[in-house]
Amino acid sequence: MQAALRSSAITVRNAFLQHLRLTVAATSHRVPILLDSRVSFSSDHGTYLDKSSVTDRILELVKKMEKVDPAKVTPQASFQGDLGLDSLDTVEVVMAIEEEFALEIPDAEADKISSCAEAIEYVAAHPRAK
Amino acid sequence: MSAAAAPSPAQARALLKAFMREARKFPNYNIREYVKRRAKEGFKECQSISDPAAAAAAFANGRAQLEVAKRQSVVYSLYAPRVKSIMDLKITETTL
């Protein structure tokens, strides 16, 4: 009795499944094509900053240093000679420049920066300066 | 520790820089500024040391302190303040 019931249940199930159709719509996955001219990859390379704005920002920042007399700050001023800073203050200036322009200046480069002119030159020639 | 050679000026500058870099990581304004200030102070204090052994000892002490700062920046970052210090806000006359 039970076996007969089960076998009939299976036949009903199979018949049902045969007629069952699931409509599967092929959804088109549109792959964004990255050939659009508006999409630029230049953000990584960055652009060079305008030299006059770099000059303004660096001079502003140097003027804010504790020991610096703002009147003496010129684009040509050297940190140790003209502004009376020592090597530790120079490190501070370089760190402040890093923060201002979101850069990371490696030690070898940082040691070469000893005047406002050199700092401006470095930042203006740095593609990732912000 | 055996008598180490006095650090070169470049090494000393690199240590100060490492302190400043570490200081930036503190989320808390007060601690961040303190670490910067204290690092500068420490270097100024040691600037006039001429004895190589004393300079080496000061340098070793500085490196040990840098390790402390590194550990503390991790701890402080776990308990970062939910609200920024007013000193961290860029307030200009137009925002007022």
Side-chain angles (χ1 to χ4, degrees), chain A residues 43-63:
Chain A
S43 62
D44 210 35
H45 303 293
T47 45
Y48 295 96
L49 289 174
D50 181 42
K51 197 158 182 176
S52 65
S53 80
V54 172
T55 308
D56 288 346
R57 282 163 72 186
I58 287 187
L59 294 189
E60 202 54 44
L61 173 158
V62 174
K63 279 177 193 170

Side-chain angles (χ1 to χ4, degrees), chain A residues 16-60:
Chain A
F16 178 71
L17 286 181
Q18 267 176 12
H19 293 282
L20 189 71
R21 288 277 186 280
L22 274 181
T23 50
V24 179
T27 50
S28 62
H29 294 282
R30 284 183 60 190
V31 179
I33 299 168
L34 295 172
L35 292 176
D36 194 334
S37 60
R38 284 169 300 175
V39 179
S40 73
F41 298 97
S42 64
S43 62
D44 210 35
H45 303 293
T47 45
Y48 295 96
L49 289 174
D50 181 42
K51 197 158 182 176
S52 65
S53 80
V54 172
T55 308
D56 288 346
R57 282 163 72 186
I58 287 187
L59 294 189
E60 202 54 44

Side-chain angles (χ1 to χ4, degrees), chain A residues 86-108:
Chain A
D86 57 22
S87 59
L88 297 179
D89 299 322
T90 308
V91 171
E92 242 177 88
V93 173
V94 172
M95 297 299 285
I97 292 171
E98 282 192 357
E99 263 173 65
E100 170 72 22
F101 294 96
L103 291 175
E104 185 126 336
I105 306 176
D107 283 0

Side-chain angles (χ1 to χ4, degrees), chain B:
Chain B
M1 203 171 104
S2 62
S8 70
Q11 278 177 309
R13 282 201 297 270
L15 184 63
L16 176 58
K17 221 182 244 189
F19 265 110
M20 304 291 245
R21 290 234 160 91
E22 206 52 51
R24 281 182 198 165
K25 293 183 193 164
F26 284 88
N28 186 322
Y29 170 85
N30 291 310
I31 314 292
R32 183 168 64 240
E33 293 305 311
Y34 171 70
V35 174
K36 283 186 199 168
R37 201 164 58 234
R38 182 67 188 91
K40 283 182 220 164
E41 250 175 42
F43 275 82
K44 298 271 171 203
E45 278 167 23
C46 298
Q47 212 167 12
S48 54
I49 294 178
S50 50
D51 177 30
F59 189 66
N61 179 41
R63 283 168 83 159
Q65 291 300 313
L66 178 63
E67 292 305 313
V68 173
K70 281 184 180 170
R71 289 196 290 276
Q72 287 303 310
S73 74
V74 173
V75 173
Y76 271 93
S77 69
L78 295 175
Y79 302 99
R82 252 176 257 148
V83 185
K84 261 190 179 180
S85 162
I86 193 160
M87 297 300 283
D88 277 336
L89 304 177
K90 298 238 183 306
I91 296 176
T92 56
E93 276 175 45
T94 48
T95 23
L96 289 175

Side-chain angles (χ1 to χ4, degrees), chain A residues 56-90:
Chain A
D56 288 346
R57 282 163 72 186
I58 287 187
L59 294 189
E60 202 54 44
L61 173 158
V62 174
K63 279 177 193 170
K64 278 190 198 145
M65 299 295 297
E66 259 172 74
K67 286 161 86 188
V68 171
D69 176 5
K72 284 187 186 166
V73 178
T74 62
Q76 283 76 39
S78 81
F79 297 146
Q80 308 206 5
D82 302 329
L83 301 176
L85 299 177
D86 57 22
S87 59
L88 297 179
D89 299 322
T90 308

